[in-house]
Amino acid sequence: MKKDLKYKAKKLRAKGYSFREISEVLKVSKSTASLWTRNLDLNINAKNRLNNLEIVGRKKAIITIKKKKKEELLEINNNCNVLRDKKYDRDDYKLFLALLYWGEGVKTKNDFSFINSDTNMIKVFLFLLRNSFLINESKFRARLHLHDYHNKNDMINFWSKITGIGKNKFSIYNKPHTGINKKPNYKGCLSVRYKDSKIFKEVFVIVERIVKKFNNAGLV
C-alpha cells in the first residue's frame, strides 16, 4: 500500500503537482509527500506548472492579507468612539490645536510657524487655528520649500487652494540640489506662519496645563 502511494506521489510530482496537492490527492501529510518526491528531477513542463502555482498562491495570499487587514480596520473603526457623533466647541478645538502644535509646530518664536509637506496635516492645522481664535487672514504668510524640478507657479496655485491663503502671501525657498531623484507627486514643503504672540502663548498655556494634569496624576 505504501509503495503504491509512493509511486503515485512520484507520478503526480513529475507532472508538476505541489506537495500540498499530492498530500490532498493521496490523503497523506504534506511532509510525507515532500519526503517521497523532493529529490525528483522535473522537466520544464512540471517546473512551469509549479512556478504558476506559486504565482497564483502569492496572489491569493496577498488578497487574503488585504481582506484580513480590511476586516480588522473595519472592526477597529466600529469599536472606536473617538471623534464620532459629537459636537465640538472652540475650547475643544483649542485643545486639539495645542496637541498638534506641541508635536509638530515650531516653538522658538512667539508666532505660529507650522511646517509640513502633508496636505492633510496643513489643512487640519489651519482648520483648528481658524476655529479656535478670531483670525486676521491678512497676517498669514506662507513659504514654499521647493526643488529645482518644481514649477513655482503651479505649486503656489496648488498650496493656495489647499490653505485658503492668497497667492500674494507666498514666498519661495529654493532647496539646494542634493542629487536625490525626483519624488513623484511631491508638492514641496510648506511653512505657514501666523504672527500673534498672544495666541501662541495661550496655546502653550494649554500645553502646560496638559503636562501639569498628567504630572499630578503620576502618569508622566
Side-chain angles (χ1 to χ4, degrees):
M1 181 66 177
K2 182 177 178 181
K3 287 184 179 180
D4 186 47
L5 286 175
K6 191 173 182 179
Y7 173 75
K8 289 179 179 179
K10 289 182 177 180
K11 288 195 68 174
L12 291 171
R13 185 63 177 174
K15 292 179 181 179
Y17 277 61
S18 68
F19 300 136
R20 179 185 59 79
E21 288 178 311
I22 294 170
S23 72
E24 290 175 353
V25 171
L26 301 180
K27 309 301 181 187
V28 297
S29 69
K30 187 177 175 181
S31 60
T32 297
S34 171
L35 181 65
W36 286 348
T37 65
R38 63 190 175 196
N39 293 323
L40 286 180
D41 290 328
L42 303 179
N43 63 32
I44 188 65
N45 290 330
K47 289 179 179 179
N48 286 338
R49 186 181 187 279
L50 286 170
N51 285 335
N52 289 333
L53 283 175
E54 187 177 350
I55 292 170
V56 171
R58 282 201 298 267
K59 288 181 178 178
K60 286 182 178 179
I62 291 171
I63 292 172
T64 300
I65 291 170
K66 285 183 177 179
K67 183 181 178 181
K68 286 183 178 179
K69 286 183 177 180
K70 186 175 181 181
E71 290 172 349
E72 181 185 45
L73 186 59
L74 181 61
E75 181 183 2
I76 292 170
N77 182 61
N78 289 337
N79 293 331
C80 180
N81 292 318
V82 177
L83 297 178
R84 174 184 285 167
D85 301 327
K86 179 181 176 181
K87 292 182 179 179
Y88 295 93
D89 59 24
R90 180 162 291 187
D91 286 342
D92 291 321
Y93 290 134
K94 285 183 179 181
L95 176 60
F96 299 152
L97 176 65
L99 288 169
L100 178 61
Y101 197 85
W102 188 21
E104 293 288 335
V106 176
K107 306 164 186 74
T108 55
K109 298 179 181 180
N110 277 332
D111 52 86
F112 280 107
S113 187
F114 193 86
I115 304 172
N116 219 281
S117 60
D118 186 328
T119 55
N120 286 325
M121 186 80 77
I122 293 292
K123 284 180 180 179
V124 169
F125 166 70
L126 289 172
F127 173 86
L128 293 174
L129 180 58
R130 285 167 170 150
N131 284 275
S132 297
F133 300 97
L134 294 175
I135 296 299
N136 181 348
E137 293 289 330
S138 67
K139 294 171 70 173
F140 276 117
R141 295 293 184 273
R143 188 171 178 81
L144 267 173
H145 299 240
L146 301 177
H147 291 286
D148 54 7
Y149 59 76
H150 284 116
N151 181 297
K152 295 178 183 178
N153 289 331
D154 287 348
M155 293 301 98
I156 289 175
N157 288 333
F158 172 81
W159 283 103
S160 178
K161 290 178 181 178
I162 291 292
T163 61
I165 297 173
K167 289 183 281 189
N168 62 319
K169 303 295 183 182
F170 279 76
S171 62
I172 300 292
Y173 170 71
N174 295 302
K175 299 182 74 171
H177 183 65
T178 60
I180 299 174
N181 293 331
K182 180 178 178 180
K183 300 177 184 178
N185 300 318
Y186 179 64
K187 304 296 185 182
C189 190
L190 181 69
S191 170
V192 179
R193 185 166 63 89
Y194 186 80
K195 192 170 183 61
D196 191 312
S197 62
K198 287 186 177 179
I199 291 178
F200 180 90
K201 289 172 182 175
E202 183 173 343
V203 164
F204 276 92
V205 164
I206 297 170
V207 170
E208 288 173 6
R209 287 179 182 175
I210 293 169
V211 173
K212 185 177 180 180
K213 182 176 181 64
F214 287 98
N215 269 330
N216 289 344
L219 298 178
V220 292

